[in-house]
Amino acid sequence: MSDSPPVPPLLALAVAIVAISTGAILVRLSEAPSAVAAFYRVLFTTLPLLPVAVWRYRSAFRRLGRRDLAGATLAGVALAVHFAAWFESLAWTSVAASVTLVQSQPLFVVVGAWLLLQERLSRRMLAGILVAVGGMTTMSVGDLLGGGLVGPDPLLGNSLALVGAVMAAGYVLAGRSLRQRVALVPYVVVVYSVCTVCLLAIALAQGGPLVGYPAREWLVFIGLAIGPGLLGHTVINWALAHLESSVVSVSLLGEPVGATVLALALLGESPTVFTVAGGVVVLAGISLTARERERATAVETTGQSTD
């Protein structure tokens, strides 16, 4: 870790959380089909990276083997489905529910690592998952019972957000071992390029127009790339080099809070009591699971018992 980064890491992390919190609001402000908005979000994030990739990482691209390309392709497909499902979910449910549920991807990373990679699933991890599932149930079913719906079809929207979370977990799992061998820029360029092509195919299959939008819509597309993309996730990746991963992981739980506050202030969207209560429980479960997984990983690294 660097002793004297040019920007205080905690300040940079705070800016990044605010930036990614704007993502759901910008999607809501867009009048384009969700797949089209997702396509331009990834395309405009990828384009600035291409000159850097060509200029500085040509040799790294040449060293990519078939296995590396296959892993990056799989990660790109998973990322495309994540964006397509999550962007669409915002058309059917509240910002608060959608962002909270899509942020549950650490839970699915733990389950996927247990099923596919034989990583240990401790009692505390399982408890965190069960707590989060209870919160998800409260969010999805509680509003139906109480009659206080936010969105035309909250169950559909919440389901799509969960699909987005599962695909985000697949993206993380697919790229985890690959990132240990491949530099960040070549990896991101391949993954984002695959993701862009997949989103283009989805947009075309759905019949969404790619051109003919007013200037306001193009500003939204660019805002999605600059805000949540470059200022958000790029800065978070930088912060990971200067802060403990546990600090960053917990800080990411601020996205649903920030997005909910922005939706209330800018869109006049007030979450129901079931969404708020369930959301708090979901975030608690995610935090418990993520912290326990990082603790278990640290213990295994030092060779101590996890009991």
Side-chain angles (χ1 to χ4, degrees), residues 32-305:
S34 58
V36 173
F39 163 69
Y40 280 118
R41 190 264 199 216
V42 181
L43 176 66
F44 290 158
T45 302
T46 307
L47 289 178
L49 297 173
L50 293 179
V52 178
V54 172
W55 180 256
R56 296 190 58 184
Y57 293 93
R58 282 176 292 181
S59 60
F61 278 104
R62 286 194 292 266
R63 290 195 299 269
L64 289 175
R66 292 183 179 179
R67 180 184 173 190
D68 294 338
L69 288 174
T73 298
L74 182 61
V77 172
L79 188 61
V81 179
H82 157 74
F83 279 124
W86 178 50
F87 276 39
E88 182 65 18
S89 78
L90 287 161
W92 301 101
T93 191
S94 67
V95 167
S98 175
V99 177
T100 300
L101 292 173
V102 83
Q103 192 59 255
S104 68
Q105 61 93 2
L107 305 177
F108 297 105
V109 170
V110 169
V111 174
W114 172 59
L115 291 173
L116 303 176
L117 305 175
Q118 288 77 53
E119 287 191 3
R120 181 177 178 179
L121 182 61
S122 71
R123 287 192 296 270
R124 290 181 183 177
M125 291 181 199
L126 182 59
I129 292 171
L130 292 177
V131 167
V133 169
M136 294 174 191
T137 303
T138 300
M139 294 175 69
S140 298
V141 179
D143 284 338
L144 293 179
L145 298 178
L149 301 181
V150 177
D153 193 339
L155 281 180
L156 173 60
N158 292 352
S159 298
L160 287 168
L162 284 175
V163 171
V166 172
M167 290 297 103
Y171 160 69
V172 171
L173 291 171
R176 191 175 65 172
S177 61
L178 185 59
R179 275 291 292 117
Q180 297 174 1
R181 304 189 304 271
V182 180
L184 177 63
V185 171
Y187 171 75
V188 167
V189 167
V190 174
V191 170
Y192 280 15
S193 297
V194 171
C195 180
T196 301
V197 171
C198 290
L199 287 171
L200 175 61
I202 294 172
L204 292 176
Q206 294 178 348
L210 298 178
V211 294
Y213 295 105
R216 171 187 174 278
E217 199 67 38
W218 292 104
L219 289 176
V220 170
F221 296 156
I222 295 172
L224 281 167
I226 295 176
L230 297 176
L231 292 179
H233 293 288
T234 301
V235 173
I236 287 171
N237 286 328
W238 174 84
L240 280 168
H242 304 279
L243 297 170
E244 296 295 331
S245 59
S246 58
V247 174
V248 177
S249 298
V250 173
S251 298
L252 286 173
L253 299 182
E255 179 187 359
V257 178
T260 300
V261 171
L262 289 174
L264 178 62
L266 301 178
L267 305 177
E269 182 180 292
S270 179
T272 68
V273 63
F274 292 104
T275 297
V276 173
V280 170
V281 175
V282 170
L283 295 180
I286 295 171
S287 178
L288 174 60
T289 304
R291 285 188 290 108
E292 173 59 18
R293 183 168 186 262
E294 291 188 0
R295 187 197 69 80
T297 301
V299 170
E300 290 177 2
T301 300
T302 58
Q304 301 175 7
S305 172

